[in-house]
Amino acid sequence: MDREIRVLVVDDDALVRGALTMMLDGADGIRVAGEATDGDEVPALVDAHAPHVVLMDLRMARVGGLAATKRVRERPDPPEVVVLTTFDSDENVLHALRAGASGFLLKDTPPAQIVEAVHRVAAGDPMLSPSVTRRLMDQAGAEAGSREEARAALRTLSEREYDVAVAIARGRSNAEIASEAYMSLSTVKAHVSHVLAKLDLENRTQIALLVHDAER
């Protein structure tokens, strides 16, 4: 994207915040606009800095990342949210994705992948780590118990919209979908917008979760 990406870093560990800020401020096209030590500080900092992306820790003392993510995503024109987690010990990752987060990162993710994640979610693509995506999606289907509801929702889509939804669930970007389905990029974007509107979803990650629920 052409604009500078403003990032808000939210973590109660000063060392983690410092490392993320130093790393992101040194990346091309990214600027850390602010830091928060707890989820209750996020609304005011979003108002003050209008970040494009929020890196959100899940476990914090006063207001956790799940509640903070819901509050952020309920705002008009909200920033994208990427949750930070150790995954194995955090059971709320799935709930954060359903609340509107665009993806997640393990806290030991290599710096280059964190930078890539910020660029991707700012451009509208979810960031789901390949090493844990399958485990996460399996958990999603097992927990949801709503296969028929998901299938009924997907039946409201046109054939092309359904194909785009499935491609999103497979981790394809808009450009990849356009190439594979022989559509223009603008047509793919229009289909994605229609899918989100028809299914009353927030982002591509929630489309992927719904498709995986239907395929369980």
Side-chain angles (χ1 to χ4, degrees):
M1 61 195 307
D2 295 331
R3 66 185 177 181
E4 179 182 63
I5 302 170
R6 296 185 298 276
V7 177
L8 175 64
V9 176
V10 185
D11 199 295
D12 59 359
D13 187 324
L15 291 177
V16 172
R17 287 198 316 277
L20 287 170
T21 296
M22 182 179 300
M23 180 263 296
L24 291 172
D25 268 340
D28 288 339
I30 298 175
R31 176 173 63 86
V32 175
E35 299 179 23
T37 63
D38 203 282
D40 59 0
E41 301 171 7
V42 172
L45 289 171
V46 169
D47 286 337
H49 301 294
H52 301 110
V53 177
V54 178
L55 293 183
M56 183 85 74
D57 186 20
L58 279 186
R59 296 193 171 187
M60 293 176 285
R62 297 187 299 274
V63 174
L66 178 59
T69 296
K70 288 181 180 178
R71 294 176 187 176
V72 166
R73 294 299 301 172
E74 287 171 353
R75 301 165 64 94
D77 193 23
E80 301 296 334
V81 177
V82 177
V83 297
L84 296 167
T85 178
T86 56
F87 190 77
D88 287 334
S89 62
D90 285 326
E91 298 177 355
N92 287 325
V93 175
L94 175 61
H95 299 294
L97 295 177
R98 293 194 185 280
S102 296
F104 64 86
L105 292 173
L106 301 179
K107 287 193 174 181
D108 59 357
T109 298
Q113 291 183 27
I114 295 178
V115 171
E116 177 193 1
V118 169
H119 281 288
R120 282 188 59 174
V121 299
D125 287 331
M127 185 64 182
L128 300 174
S129 172
S131 64
V132 290
T133 295
R134 173 46 52 190
R135 177 176 172 182
L136 175 66
M137 294 305 182
D138 287 345
Q139 184 180 349
E143 177 181 295
S146 56
R147 178 193 305 174
E148 292 308 317
E149 291 181 11
R151 290 179 176 178
L154 292 175
R155 284 195 291 268
T156 67
L157 304 179
S158 70
E159 182 178 353
R160 273 302 204 185
E161 290 165 351
Y162 177 81
D163 290 343
V164 168
V166 171
I168 289 172
R170 302 292 179 265
R172 303 291 194 270
S173 67
N174 284 347
E176 290 169 336
I177 296 172
S179 175
E180 294 173 4
Y182 302 103
M183 290 187 281
S184 69
L185 188 58
S186 61
T187 299
V188 173
K189 290 180 178 178
H191 283 317
V192 173
S193 296
H194 294 157
V195 170
L196 290 170
K198 284 186 176 182
L199 301 180
D200 193 26
L201 299 176
E202 294 282 344
N203 56 35
R204 298 165 68 96
T205 304
Q206 291 181 337
I207 294 174
L209 290 172
L210 185 71
V211 170
H212 280 275
D213 282 350
E215 293 179 346
R216 287 289 300 176

